[in-house]
């Protein structure tokens, strides 16, 4: 079951915060909370599930948005974006010390907000705490790649990133430069090489069954010498995969 990305807004200007919330909800994101000070944000992060945080650098508290960014880097493995009226060199240099996943200068449009969130989610490296993947030369394709959490993966569909539990993915089929990610009742198109995508998935469940297919072994309904069946889909298999499956069934 997919669910929209959950966002925490930390902004001490109530009018701007409400405006941001409206923009985000209109796109389809879920707002977990809308708070004005560091301490409130700390409490929300501790008690609720948050996928991304939008943080004003100057807050109505002794601790700033940069302090909050540092706290998130140390305690949580989620991306955050600074939202600020200040784009002067000193502020930017100070903000860079906590490695934000985006920097948005007010005033901004809905599209700017959406793009910043999308890029932050796509480029964030969930495999290592506090380590955004900011490899030089990231192309536009990077923006539509997927981001992984412990038990799920984000997949883009139209203007939203949906979170899909690994267990819900039945099989993945390569089709030119795209992959078709199949769940029980939905298909998602992803731009990625099959080999790279396999590396994002749990190694004890997902296997390359054929040069064009990755399958979740938990969903295999039937097998013969050349194919397996998953949810009434006949999927060709390689000789190596057939031997692997048969030996796994017999062990």
């Amino acid at each position: 079951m997919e669910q929209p990305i959950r966002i925490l807004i930390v902004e001490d200007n109530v009018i701007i915060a409400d405006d941001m919330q409206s923009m985000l909800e209109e796109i389809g994101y879920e707002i977990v909370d809308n708070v004005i000070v560091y301490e409130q944000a700390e409490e929300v992060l501790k008690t609720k599930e948050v996928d991304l945080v939008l943080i004003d650098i100057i807050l109505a508290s002794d601790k700033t948005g940069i302090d909050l960014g540092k706290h998130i880097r140390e305690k949580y493995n989620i991306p955050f974006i600074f939202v600020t009226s200040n784009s002067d060199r000193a502020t930017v240099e100070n903000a860079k010390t906590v490695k934000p996943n985006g920097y948005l200068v007010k005033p901004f449009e809905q599209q700017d907000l959406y793009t910043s969130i999308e890029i932050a989610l796509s480029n964030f490296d969930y495999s290592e705490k506090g380590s955004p993947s900011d490899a030089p030369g990231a192309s536009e394709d990077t923006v539509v790649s997927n981001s992984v959490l412990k038990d799920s993966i984000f997949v883009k569909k139209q203007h939203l990133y949906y979170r899909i539990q690994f267990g819900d993915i039945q099989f993945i089929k390569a089709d030119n430069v795209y992959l078709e990610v199949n769940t029980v009742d939905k298909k998602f198109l992803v731009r990625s090489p099959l080999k790279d995508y396999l590396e994002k998935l749990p190694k004890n469940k997902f296997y390359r069954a054929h040069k064009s297919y990755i399958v979740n072994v938990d969903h295999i309904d039937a097998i013969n010498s050349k194919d397996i069946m998953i949810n009434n889909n006949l999927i060709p298999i390689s000789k190596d995969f057939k031997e692997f499956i048969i030996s796994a069934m017999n062990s």
Side-chain angles (χ1 to χ4, degrees):
M1 180 77 181
E2 324 88 56
Q3 55 195 81
I5 303 305
R6 291 167 289 221
I7 296 175
L8 168 63
I9 298 171
V10 189
E11 164 65 71
D12 66 352
N13 182 317
V14 179
I15 294 169
I16 292 174
D18 286 349
D19 195 32
M20 282 169 65
Q21 179 159 348
S22 297
M23 284 184 193
L24 293 166
E25 287 177 339
E26 196 174 292
I27 299 168
Y29 297 115
E30 180 184 324
I31 306 306
V32 175
D33 213 331
N34 197 330
V35 301
I36 61 172
V37 293
Y38 176 100
E39 292 75 16
Q40 289 174 318
E42 189 180 32
E43 187 59 29
V44 172
L45 286 164
K46 202 186 297 179
T47 57
K48 296 181 181 176
E49 207 168 333
V50 177
D51 295 318
L52 179 138
V53 192
L54 293 166
I55 309 171
D56 187 8
I57 289 179
I58 310 300
L59 297 173
S61 54
D62 291 339
K63 290 191 170 180
T64 66
I66 291 172
D67 292 320
L68 180 58
K70 187 178 178 193
H71 175 73
I72 291 169
R73 276 284 165 267
E74 289 170 356
K75 303 274 187 188
Y76 303 95
N77 197 23
I78 55 173
F80 63 86
I81 296 170
F82 283 139
V83 181
T84 181
S85 305
N86 304 306
S87 54
D88 61 277
R89 186 181 290 270
T91 304
V92 172
E93 287 302 316
N94 201 9
K96 275 165 63 179
T97 62
V98 293
K99 295 184 167 59
N101 304 99
Y103 194 96
L104 201 53
V105 179
K106 303 170 190 169
F108 47 79
E109 301 294 326
Q110 186 180 44
Q111 188 61 35
D112 303 322
L113 192 56
Y114 165 65
T115 304
S116 295
I117 289 169
E118 200 171 1
I119 290 172
L121 287 168
S122 296
N123 290 350
F124 190 73
D125 183 0
Y126 289 88
S127 62
E128 191 178 332
K129 205 168 219 178
S131 171
S133 59
D134 48 6
S139 67
E140 192 179 339
D141 288 349
T142 313
V143 179
V144 296
S145 66
N146 301 280
S147 307
V148 184
L149 291 179
K150 282 177 190 167
D151 59 352
S152 52
I153 193 163
F154 286 129
V155 178
K156 185 183 175 195
K157 187 166 188 179
Q158 293 168 338
H159 298 303
L160 284 179
Y161 275 81
Y162 288 95
R163 176 189 264 172
I164 300 177
Q165 300 291 319
F166 287 135
D168 291 340
I169 298 174
Q170 296 188 325
F171 66 93
I172 297 158
K173 178 185 176 185
D175 184 9
N176 292 321
V177 295
Y178 289 96
L179 301 180
E180 188 184 274
V181 180
N182 288 263
T183 64
V184 179
D185 56 353
K186 287 189 176 64
K187 290 179 186 177
F188 298 88
L189 275 184
V190 175
R191 192 182 176 99
S192 168
L194 198 65
K195 178 174 169 287
D196 292 356
Y197 211 77
L198 182 58
E199 288 171 9
K200 298 169 185 269
L201 301 167
K203 292 178 174 41
N204 61 336
K205 299 284 184 198
F206 290 89
Y207 295 89
R208 186 90 173 250
H210 178 271
K211 64 181 182 181
S212 301
Y213 286 89
I214 293 169
V215 300
N216 182 343
V217 292
D218 286 349
H219 287 283
I220 295 175
D221 298 317
I223 181 169
N224 64 26
S225 60
K226 292 181 182 175
D227 310 283
I228 54 174
M229 186 172 279
I230 296 180
N231 196 18
N232 292 321
N233 293 282
L234 211 54
I235 295 167
I237 56 175
S238 66
K239 181 171 173 285
D240 288 347
F241 184 74
K242 183 184 79 169
E243 287 169 2
F244 159 73
I245 283 291
I246 289 168
S247 94
M249 285 163 61
N250 292 335
S251 63

